[in-house]
Amino acid sequence: PMHAENNGRLHDLHVADCTDTHFYLLQPFEHATIAACTDCTIVLGAVAGLLHVVDCERTCITSAARRVVVSNSLDVVHYLFTPSPPLLVGDNRGCQFAPYNTYYEGLREDLLATGLAAVLRSSSAARDSNSPRDGSVVGGDGNTTASPGRGGSSSPTSAQPTLQCASNKWKVPVELCKLEVPQLPHVPTPGSPGSLDAPSSPGADDRALNGSSDVAMKTPVLLPSSEFDVLLVPVESEEARIRRQLLRESEEEFAAAAAAANKNEEISSDAGGDEAGETTTVYSTTSTLTGITEKPSEQHPPPPESDYCRILADLLTLSPFHMPHDYERRVISKAERVRTLREAIVQELTEDGRSSLEEELNRGFQDWLVTSGNLRQVLDLIHLEKRVSAI
């Protein structure tokens, strides 16, 4: 799709009156409006100006925008990067805010196109000569910079320049009704109703300002880190697909070579007897997420890293946004549990046991797709994949 008009201005986006729909609109926009959407998941590219969310219910929105305004919405979760505090206007109930939670190919280019990020050019040489190889993120409450390749990622994007973004203000939403309004002195005029001594009843605005509203409004809250999950964008470019396929093949080759080396070492150790002593080669594997080195059993080579763990590693290493420590720890611990469970299945179950477990998991997953109503989304993804492959 075209990202800009002939005059250089980006397109505006308007999404309205949608129910139970997933949108992945991965391109930069000038302004964006999401109106009257219910039970939707919406991922937007970077927005150069205003992102306005109005009259939405039970919807999850992920976006990077210069300004965010939420109006009259119910149970909407916002995963944001924004350099300005989100503003809530009107009757908003149960709205939650969390840090940006996804990564897709082209995010960096979208941020540059909208002016939400800038390339650090002057200090690149000094950083290359003085900084450690891991390219750790420097950020927090001040400016946030992210260096691709943190954690030893082998992605080709590690050669890209470092981006600098402003501080993310997702955690300081502002409710307009709670802002302090300066009180003007009341000067009654002769003959006006206000000149009487009888006290007047407070209006709706006065009750809202004084916190004595008849209906208690739920104030916006920050999404707890225990409920935070990353969103994996199912749309993948051809370049990313080829890169992941090559990485998967290299991991499988490494696992096969390690298994063959262990087997040969065991044979030579048995032939040498006591003269050679008991020598067994035990290789180690390093988690792409935590960097913790582990020693698996020499009888079972480590399985290739799952796609889930690799995608999470891309989010943590390639995203130009710094994820708060509590949320990052939640993401890493969940990925490590998945990896540990996968290794336990491979190492502790026989081939028949793994087949039986896989059949049972597939059966339960299919039942869940039907009962939860998510089967249509899976079918949509299959059709989308076929259309992309046909292009």
Side-chain angles (χ1 to χ4, degrees), residues 5 58 104-105 145-146 156 179 188 237 241 264 266 324 336 338 351 377 386:
E5 299 175 354
R58 300 183 301 277
Y104 62 89
E105 295 287 335
T145 61
L179 293 178
S237 65
R241 188 180 297 109
N264 294 335
E266 290 176 359
E336 286 298 320
V338 173
E351 188 67 28
Q377 299 173 15
K386 291 181 179 179

Side-chain angles (χ1 to χ4, degrees), residues 236-252:
E236 191 174 43
S237 65
E238 185 64 24
E239 179 183 353
R241 188 180 297 109
I242 295 176
R243 186 187 66 198
R244 294 193 185 282
Q245 181 64 28
L246 294 176
L247 181 59
R248 184 183 297 108
E249 292 176 356
S250 65
E251 289 178 350
E252 293 175 352

Side-chain angles (χ1 to χ4, degrees), residues 164-175:
Q164 183 180 37
C165 302
S167 176
N168 193 356
K169 301 297 180 60
W170 66 273
K171 62 167 57 178
V172 287
V174 176
E175 287 187 275

Side-chain angles (χ1 to χ4, degrees), residues 112-193:
L112 292 174
T114 54
L116 293 176
V119 177
L120 290 181
R121 300 182 183 275
S122 59
S123 59
S124 59
R127 180 172 55 258
D128 291 341
S129 59
N130 298 329
S131 63
R133 282 292 184 182
D134 60 355
S136 57
V137 171
V138 180
D141 296 334
N143 288 343
T144 303
T145 61
S147 177
R150 179 169 63 100
S153 173
S154 59
S155 170
T157 56
S158 58
Q160 294 182 358
T162 300
L163 299 186
Q164 183 180 37
C165 302
S167 176
N168 193 356
K169 301 297 180 60
W170 66 273
K171 62 167 57 178
V172 287
V174 176
E175 287 187 275
L176 185 62
C177 66
K178 292 187 177 180
L179 293 178
E180 294 185 1
V181 180
Q183 297 294 329
L184 298 178
H186 179 66
V187 181
T189 59
S192 65

Side-chain angles (χ1 to χ4, degrees), residues 30-304:
E30 188 71 25
H31 301 289
T33 300
I34 301 175
C37 292
T38 303
D39 296 318
C40 294
T41 297
I42 302 175
V43 182
L44 302 182
V47 180
L50 174 66
L51 168 61
H52 188 196
V53 181
V54 56
D55 297 333
C56 293
E57 297 183 13
R58 300 183 301 277
T59 294
C60 295
I61 299 173
T62 297
S63 182
R66 190 172 304 278
R67 295 186 182 278
V68 178
V69 175
V70 183
S71 304
N72 303 324
S73 295
L74 172 66
D75 295 333
V76 177
V77 183
H78 306 265
Y79 299 91
L80 297 176
F81 168 79
T82 176
S84 304
L87 182 63
L88 292 100
V89 181
D91 186 6
N92 296 284
R93 300 170 184 268
C95 293
Q96 292 181 302
F97 293 86
Y100 196 82
N101 69 332
T102 192
Y103 180 81
Y104 62 89
E105 295 287 335
L107 173 61
R108 298 165 58 87
E109 290 76 10
D110 292 350
L111 294 173
L112 292 174
T114 54
L116 293 176
V119 177
L120 290 181
R121 300 182 183 275
S122 59
S123 59
S124 59
R127 180 172 55 258
D128 291 341
S129 59
N130 298 329
S131 63
R133 282 292 184 182
D134 60 355
S136 57
V137 171
V138 180
D141 296 334
N143 288 343
T144 303
T145 61
S147 177
R150 179 169 63 100
S153 173
S154 59
S155 170
T157 56
S158 58
Q160 294 182 358
T162 300
L163 299 186
Q164 183 180 37
C165 302
S167 176
N168 193 356
K169 301 297 180 60
W170 66 273
K171 62 167 57 178
V172 287
V174 176
E175 287 187 275
L176 185 62
C177 66
K178 292 187 177 180
L179 293 178
E180 294 185 1
V181 180
Q183 297 294 329
L184 298 178
H186 179 66
V187 181
T189 59
S192 65
S195 61
L196 301 178
D197 296 334
S200 59
S201 60
D205 293 339
D206 296 329
R207 291 197 302 270
L209 291 173
N210 296 330
S212 59
S213 177
D214 297 336
V215 181
M217 291 181 57
K218 293 184 178 180
T219 59
V221 297
L222 305 184
L223 185 72
S225 59
S226 59
E227 301 178 13
F228 179 80
D229 285 307
V230 299
L231 187 147
L232 308 182
V233 177
V235 182
E236 191 174 43
S237 65
E238 185 64 24
E239 179 183 353
R241 188 180 297 109
I242 295 176
R243 186 187 66 198
R244 294 193 185 282
Q245 181 64 28
L246 294 176
L247 181 59
R248 184 183 297 108
E249 292 176 356
S250 65
E251 289 178 350
E252 293 175 352
E253 292 176 358
F254 170 78
N262 283 334
K263 185 176 181 180
N264 294 335
E265 190 67 26
E266 290 176 359
I267 295 175
S268 62
S269 177
D270 294 339
D274 296 337
E275 295 180 0
E278 296 183 358
T279 304
T280 303
T281 301
V282 179
Y283 54 88
S284 63
T285 180
T286 303
S287 170
T288 57
L289 293 173
T290 61
I292 300 176
T293 301
E294 300 176 356
K295 294 183 178 181
S297 171
E298 64 274 10
Q299 298 178 355
H300 301 281

